[in-house]
mmCIF file of all heavy atoms in Angstrom:
data_model
loop_
_atom_site.group_PDB
_atom_site.id
_atom_site.type_symbol
_atom_site.label_atom_id
_atom_site.label_comp_id
_atom_site.label_asym_id
_atom_site.label_seq_id
_atom_site.Cartn_x
_atom_site.Cartn_y
_atom_site.Cartn_z
ATOM 1 N N ALA A 20 0.818 5.571 -39.997
ATOM 2 C CA ALA A 20 0.268 4.191 -39.971
ATOM 3 C C ALA A 20 1.379 3.165 -39.803
ATOM 4 O O ALA A 20 1.191 2.152 -38.977
ATOM 5 C CB ALA A 20 -0.595 3.902 -41.102
ATOM 6 N N THR A 21 2.459 3.325 -40.438
ATOM 7 C CA THR A 21 3.572 2.393 -40.340
ATOM 8 C C THR A 21 4.169 2.473 -38.861
ATOM 9 O O THR A 21 4.491 1.361 -38.352
ATOM 10 C CB THR A 21 4.696 2.719 -41.408
ATOM 11 O OG1 THR A 21 4.089 2.644 -42.702
ATOM 12 C CG2 THR A 21 5.839 1.757 -41.311
ATOM 13 N N ALA A 22 4.247 3.660 -38.271
ATOM 14 C CA ALA A 22 4.693 3.773 -36.953
ATOM 15 C C ALA A 22 3.788 3.126 -35.997
ATOM 16 O O ALA A 22 4.188 2.440 -35.104
ATOM 17 C CB ALA A 22 4.930 5.218 -36.633
ATOM 18 N N VAL A 23 2.443 3.305 -36.179
ATOM 19 C CA VAL A 23 1.502 2.561 -35.374
ATOM 20 C C VAL A 23 1.516 1.103 -35.472
ATOM 21 O O VAL A 23 1.336 0.408 -34.521
ATOM 22 C CB VAL A 23 0.041 3.195 -35.666
ATOM 23 C CG1 VAL A 23 -0.986 2.333 -34.936
ATOM 24 C CG2 VAL A 23 -0.023 4.626 -35.338
ATOM 25 N N ARG A 24 1.753 0.599 -36.693
ATOM 26 C CA ARG A 24 1.840 -0.897 -36.882
ATOM 27 C C ARG A 24 3.069 -1.445 -35.990
ATOM 28 O O ARG A 24 2.970 -2.621 -35.667
ATOM 29 C CB ARG A 24 2.154 -1.166 -38.305
ATOM 30 C CG ARG A 24 0.889 -1.259 -39.095
ATOM 31 C CD ARG A 24 1.196 -1.761 -40.496
ATOM 32 N NE ARG A 24 0.261 -1.281 -41.482
ATOM 33 C CZ ARG A 24 0.429 -0.246 -42.203
ATOM 34 N NH1 ARG A 24 1.566 0.328 -42.297
ATOM 35 N NH2 ARG A 24 -0.426 0.231 -42.968
ATOM 36 N N ALA A 25 4.004 -0.653 -35.590
ATOM 37 C CA ALA A 25 5.107 -1.158 -34.800
ATOM 38 C C ALA A 25 4.757 -1.152 -33.238
ATOM 39 O O ALA A 25 5.580 -1.735 -32.552
ATOM 40 C CB ALA A 25 6.370 -0.272 -35.030
ATOM 41 N N THR A 26 3.503 -0.747 -32.950
ATOM 42 C CA THR A 26 3.179 -0.752 -31.576
ATOM 43 C C THR A 26 2.141 -1.858 -31.299
ATOM 44 O O THR A 26 1.681 -2.382 -32.372
ATOM 45 C CB THR A 26 2.462 0.634 -31.206
ATOM 46 O OG1 THR A 26 1.189 0.659 -31.892
ATOM 47 C CG2 THR A 26 3.300 1.803 -31.483
ATOM 48 N N PRO A 27 1.909 -2.285 -30.105
ATOM 49 C CA PRO A 27 0.915 -3.278 -29.824
ATOM 50 C C PRO A 27 -0.551 -2.976 -30.066
ATOM 51 O O PRO A 27 -1.462 -3.795 -29.875
ATOM 52 C CB PRO A 27 1.151 -3.719 -28.420
ATOM 53 C CG PRO A 27 1.869 -2.507 -27.825
ATOM 54 C CD PRO A 27 2.542 -1.789 -28.884
ATOM 55 N N LEU A 28 -0.828 -1.755 -30.508
ATOM 56 C CA LEU A 28 -2.162 -1.316 -30.713
ATOM 57 C C LEU A 28 -2.856 -2.140 -31.931
ATOM 58 O O LEU A 28 -2.194 -2.495 -32.861
ATOM 59 C CB LEU A 28 -2.274 0.176 -31.180
ATOM 60 C CG LEU A 28 -3.574 0.878 -31.383
ATOM 61 C CD1 LEU A 28 -4.241 0.969 -30.090
ATOM 62 C CD2 LEU A 28 -3.465 2.173 -32.004
ATOM 63 N N ASP A 29 -4.131 -2.484 -31.680
ATOM 64 C CA ASP A 29 -4.857 -3.238 -32.674
ATOM 65 C C ASP A 29 -4.907 -2.527 -33.988
ATOM 66 O O ASP A 29 -5.288 -1.394 -34.103
ATOM 67 C CB ASP A 29 -6.253 -3.695 -32.171
ATOM 68 C CG ASP A 29 -7.003 -4.690 -32.924
ATOM 69 O OD1 ASP A 29 -6.402 -5.278 -33.826
ATOM 70 O OD2 ASP A 29 -8.134 -4.934 -32.509
ATOM 71 N N ARG A 30 -4.625 -3.376 -35.050
ATOM 72 C CA ARG A 30 -4.619 -2.716 -36.391
ATOM 73 C C ARG A 30 -6.027 -2.285 -36.945
ATOM 74 O O ARG A 30 -6.099 -1.547 -37.893
ATOM 75 C CB ARG A 30 -3.934 -3.668 -37.373
ATOM 76 C CG ARG A 30 -2.419 -3.861 -37.091
ATOM 77 C CD ARG A 30 -1.726 -4.746 -38.072
ATOM 78 N NE ARG A 30 -0.382 -4.853 -37.728
ATOM 79 C CZ ARG A 30 0.476 -5.267 -38.432
ATOM 80 N NH1 ARG A 30 0.220 -5.821 -39.632
ATOM 81 N NH2 ARG A 30 1.788 -5.372 -38.112
ATOM 82 N N LYS A 31 -7.037 -2.721 -36.261
ATOM 83 C CA LYS A 31 -8.338 -2.277 -36.750
ATOM 84 C C LYS A 31 -8.556 -0.723 -36.563
ATOM 85 O O LYS A 31 -9.471 -0.128 -37.194
ATOM 86 C CB LYS A 31 -9.511 -3.040 -35.970
ATOM 87 C CG LYS A 31 -9.655 -2.642 -34.499
ATOM 88 C CD LYS A 31 -10.816 -3.364 -33.852
ATOM 89 C CE LYS A 31 -10.911 -2.911 -32.438
ATOM 90 N NZ LYS A 31 -11.996 -3.654 -31.773
ATOM 91 N N TRP A 32 -7.774 -0.108 -35.778
ATOM 92 C CA TRP A 32 -7.835 1.255 -35.596
ATOM 93 C C TRP A 32 -7.004 2.140 -36.564
ATOM 94 O O TRP A 32 -7.098 3.376 -36.562
ATOM 95 C CB TRP A 32 -7.283 1.682 -34.207
ATOM 96 C CG TRP A 32 -8.231 1.018 -33.080
ATOM 97 C CD1 TRP A 32 -8.004 0.020 -32.309
ATOM 98 C CD2 TRP A 32 -9.587 1.459 -32.799
ATOM 99 N NE1 TRP A 32 -8.969 -0.302 -31.437
ATOM 100 C CE2 TRP A 32 -10.002 0.591 -31.733
ATOM 101 C CE3 TRP A 32 -10.428 2.453 -33.251
ATOM 102 C CZ2 TRP A 32 -11.264 0.669 -31.195
ATOM 103 C CZ3 TRP A 32 -11.615 2.590 -32.652
ATOM 104 C CH2 TRP A 32 -12.087 1.712 -31.702
ATOM 105 N N LEU A 33 -6.283 1.518 -37.409
ATOM 106 C CA LEU A 33 -5.423 2.277 -38.441
ATOM 107 C C LEU A 33 -6.340 3.154 -39.333
ATOM 108 O O LEU A 33 -5.902 4.370 -39.484
ATOM 109 C CB LEU A 33 -4.614 1.253 -39.272
ATOM 110 C CG LEU A 33 -3.420 0.740 -38.527
ATOM 111 C CD1 LEU A 33 -2.710 -0.332 -39.333
ATOM 112 C CD2 LEU A 33 -2.478 1.807 -38.101
ATOM 113 N N PRO A 34 -7.389 2.772 -39.969
ATOM 114 C CA PRO A 34 -8.166 3.702 -40.765
ATOM 115 C C PRO A 34 -8.696 4.889 -39.945
ATOM 116 O O PRO A 34 -8.629 6.062 -40.479
ATOM 117 C CB PRO A 34 -9.288 2.941 -41.272
ATOM 118 C CG PRO A 34 -8.878 1.487 -41.199
ATOM 119 C CD PRO A 34 -7.947 1.326 -39.937
ATOM 120 N N VAL A 35 -9.045 4.659 -38.636
ATOM 121 C CA VAL A 35 -9.567 5.831 -37.866
ATOM 122 C C VAL A 35 -8.361 6.682 -37.619
ATOM 123 O O VAL A 35 -8.486 7.996 -37.626
ATOM 124 C CB VAL A 35 -10.153 5.263 -36.583
ATOM 125 C CG1 VAL A 35 -10.553 6.376 -35.597
ATOM 126 C CG2 VAL A 35 -11.281 4.420 -36.754
ATOM 127 N N ILE A 36 -7.200 6.261 -37.233
ATOM 128 C CA ILE A 36 -6.060 6.999 -36.947
ATOM 129 C C ILE A 36 -5.626 7.872 -38.255
ATOM 130 O O ILE A 36 -5.372 8.993 -38.127
ATOM 131 C CB ILE A 36 -4.888 6.140 -36.456
ATOM 132 C CG1 ILE A 36 -5.282 5.632 -35.065
ATOM 133 C CG2 ILE A 36 -3.611 6.878 -36.380
ATOM 134 C CD1 ILE A 36 -4.340 4.537 -34.519
ATOM 135 N N CYS A 37 -5.594 7.090 -39.358
ATOM 136 C CA CYS A 37 -5.182 7.878 -40.558
ATOM 137 C C CYS A 37 -6.160 8.908 -40.974
ATOM 138 O O CYS A 37 -5.827 9.970 -41.373
ATOM 139 C CB CYS A 37 -5.022 6.765 -41.694
ATOM 140 S SG CYS A 37 -3.494 5.735 -41.613
ATOM 141 N N GLY A 38 -7.388 8.576 -40.797
ATOM 142 C CA GLY A 38 -8.420 9.628 -41.221
ATOM 143 C C GLY A 38 -8.430 10.783 -40.345
ATOM 144 O O GLY A 38 -8.489 11.924 -40.743
ATOM 145 N N GLY A 39 -8.231 10.572 -39.071
ATOM 146 C CA GLY A 39 -8.214 11.666 -37.971
ATOM 147 C C GLY A 39 -6.964 12.542 -38.140
ATOM 148 O O GLY A 39 -7.002 13.689 -38.113
ATOM 149 N N PHE A 40 -5.847 11.819 -38.344
ATOM 150 C CA PHE A 40 -4.582 12.548 -38.543
ATOM 151 C C PHE A 40 -4.674 13.306 -39.895
ATOM 152 O O PHE A 40 -4.139 14.483 -39.963
ATOM 153 C CB PHE A 40 -3.407 11.503 -38.546
ATOM 154 C CG PHE A 40 -2.061 12.179 -38.463
ATOM 155 C CD1 PHE A 40 -1.739 13.111 -37.522
ATOM 156 C CD2 PHE A 40 -1.042 11.885 -39.440
ATOM 157 C CE1 PHE A 40 -0.477 13.798 -37.349
ATOM 158 C CE2 PHE A 40 0.173 12.395 -39.305
ATOM 159 C CZ PHE A 40 0.436 13.376 -38.311
ATOM 160 N N GLY A 41 -5.217 12.641 -40.884
ATOM 161 C CA GLY A 41 -5.319 13.408 -42.193
ATOM 162 C C GLY A 41 -6.268 14.721 -42.088
ATOM 163 O O GLY A 41 -5.961 15.777 -42.651
ATOM 164 N N GLY A 42 -7.282 14.493 -41.209
ATOM 165 C CA GLY A 42 -8.024 15.734 -40.933
ATOM 166 C C GLY A 42 -7.370 16.793 -40.326
ATOM 167 O O GLY A 42 -7.552 18.033 -40.640
ATOM 168 N N LEU A 43 -6.544 16.514 -39.368
ATOM 169 C CA LEU A 43 -5.705 17.503 -38.715
ATOM 170 C C LEU A 43 -4.742 18.096 -39.718
ATOM 171 O O LEU A 43 -4.535 19.378 -39.661
ATOM 172 C CB LEU A 43 -5.013 16.897 -37.449
ATOM 173 C CG LEU A 43 -5.870 16.421 -36.319
ATOM 174 C CD1 LEU A 43 -5.079 15.809 -35.218
ATOM 175 C CD2 LEU A 43 -6.531 17.621 -35.770
ATOM 176 N N LEU A 44 -4.156 17.321 -40.520
ATOM 177 C CA LEU A 44 -3.177 17.801 -41.399
ATOM 178 C C LEU A 44 -3.902 18.717 -42.541
ATOM 179 O O LEU A 44 -3.338 19.582 -43.049
ATOM 180 C CB LEU A 44 -2.474 16.732 -42.162
ATOM 181 C CG LEU A 44 -1.440 15.966 -41.283
ATOM 182 C CD1 LEU A 44 -0.787 14.817 -42.028
ATOM 183 C CD2 LEU A 44 -0.304 16.947 -40.837
ATOM 184 N N GLY A 45 -5.209 18.345 -42.807
ATOM 185 C CA GLY A 45 -6.010 19.130 -43.720
ATOM 186 C C GLY A 45 -6.224 20.510 -43.169
ATOM 187 O O GLY A 45 -6.054 21.480 -43.901
ATOM 188 N N ILE A 46 -6.623 20.665 -41.993
ATOM 189 C CA ILE A 46 -6.670 21.963 -41.198
ATOM 190 C C ILE A 46 -5.351 22.768 -41.244
ATOM 191 O O ILE A 46 -5.286 23.940 -41.682
ATOM 192 C CB ILE A 46 -7.175 21.772 -39.816
ATOM 193 C CG1 ILE A 46 -8.582 21.271 -39.802
ATOM 194 C CG2 ILE A 46 -7.153 23.127 -39.055
ATOM 195 C CD1 ILE A 46 -9.139 20.817 -38.504
ATOM 196 N N LEU A 47 -4.234 22.141 -40.957
ATOM 197 C CA LEU A 47 -2.958 22.651 -40.907
ATOM 198 C C LEU A 47 -2.634 23.184 -42.348
ATOM 199 O O LEU A 47 -2.071 24.266 -42.473
ATOM 200 C CB LEU A 47 -1.864 21.683 -40.414
ATOM 201 C CG LEU A 47 -0.449 22.263 -40.408
ATOM 202 C CD1 LEU A 47 -0.314 23.317 -39.360
ATOM 203 C CD2 LEU A 47 0.474 21.127 -40.103
ATOM 204 N N GLY A 48 -2.863 22.345 -43.374
ATOM 205 C CA GLY A 48 -2.651 22.723 -44.763
ATOM 206 C C GLY A 48 -3.477 24.032 -45.161
ATOM 207 O O GLY A 48 -2.959 24.847 -45.869
ATOM 208 N N PHE A 49 -4.670 24.033 -44.702
ATOM 209 C CA PHE A 49 -5.513 25.099 -45.072
ATOM 210 C C PHE A 49 -5.007 26.376 -44.682
ATOM 211 O O PHE A 49 -5.097 27.408 -45.277
ATOM 212 C CB PHE A 49 -6.968 24.795 -44.537
ATOM 213 C CG PHE A 49 -7.920 25.932 -44.791
ATOM 214 C CD1 PHE A 49 -8.429 26.156 -46.108
ATOM 215 C CD2 PHE A 49 -8.310 26.787 -43.786
ATOM 216 C CE1 PHE A 49 -9.328 27.196 -46.269
ATOM 217 C CE2 PHE A 49 -9.247 27.858 -44.021
ATOM 218 C CZ PHE A 49 -9.744 28.053 -45.279
ATOM 219 N N PHE A 50 -4.535 26.423 -43.346
ATOM 220 C CA PHE A 50 -4.027 27.709 -42.826
ATOM 221 C C PHE A 50 -2.552 28.008 -43.110
ATOM 222 O O PHE A 50 -2.242 29.210 -42.960
ATOM 223 C CB PHE A 50 -4.118 27.676 -41.267
ATOM 224 C CG PHE A 50 -5.583 27.865 -40.878
ATOM 225 C CD1 PHE A 50 -6.160 26.768 -40.192
ATOM 226 C CD2 PHE A 50 -6.357 29.015 -41.090
ATOM 227 C CE1 PHE A 50 -7.547 26.888 -39.796
ATOM 228 C CE2 PHE A 50 -7.570 29.089 -40.663
ATOM 229 C CZ PHE A 50 -8.327 28.019 -40.106
ATOM 230 N N THR A 51 -1.736 27.113 -43.677
ATOM 231 C CA THR A 51 -0.343 27.366 -43.993
ATOM 232 C C THR A 51 -0.013 27.428 -45.393
ATOM 233 O O THR A 51 0.997 27.882 -45.750
ATOM 234 C CB THR A 51 0.456 26.408 -43.224
ATOM 235 O OG1 THR A 51 0.220 25.006 -43.663
ATOM 236 C CG2 THR A 51 0.393 26.443 -41.757
ATOM 237 N N MET A 52 -0.882 26.773 -46.268
ATOM 238 C CA MET A 52 -0.577 26.655 -47.702
ATOM 239 C C MET A 52 -1.532 27.530 -48.543
ATOM 240 O O MET A 52 -2.669 27.580 -48.397
ATOM 241 C CB MET A 52 -0.703 25.279 -48.108
ATOM 242 C CG MET A 52 0.238 24.328 -47.338
ATOM 243 S SD MET A 52 -0.033 22.561 -47.727
ATOM 244 C CE MET A 52 0.669 22.503 -49.325
ATOM 245 N N THR A 53 -0.905 28.269 -49.419
ATOM 246 C CA THR A 53 -1.649 29.196 -50.250
ATOM 247 C C THR A 53 -2.445 28.503 -51.326
ATOM 248 O O THR A 53 -3.479 28.963 -51.666
ATOM 249 C CB THR A 53 -0.785 30.280 -50.900
ATOM 250 O OG1 THR A 53 0.202 29.653 -51.647
ATOM 251 C CG2 THR A 53 0.022 31.187 -49.800
#
Side-chain angles (χ1 to χ4, degrees):
T21 303
V23 170
R24 278 189 207 100
T26 68
L28 185 67
D29 192 0
R30 292 184 179 191
K31 72 178 181 182
W32 296 107
L33 285 176
V35 175
I36 291 169
C37 285
F40 191 52
L43 293 174
L44 289 174
I46 293 171
L47 181 67
F49 177 73
F50 288 112
T51 60
M52 302 171 73
T53 57

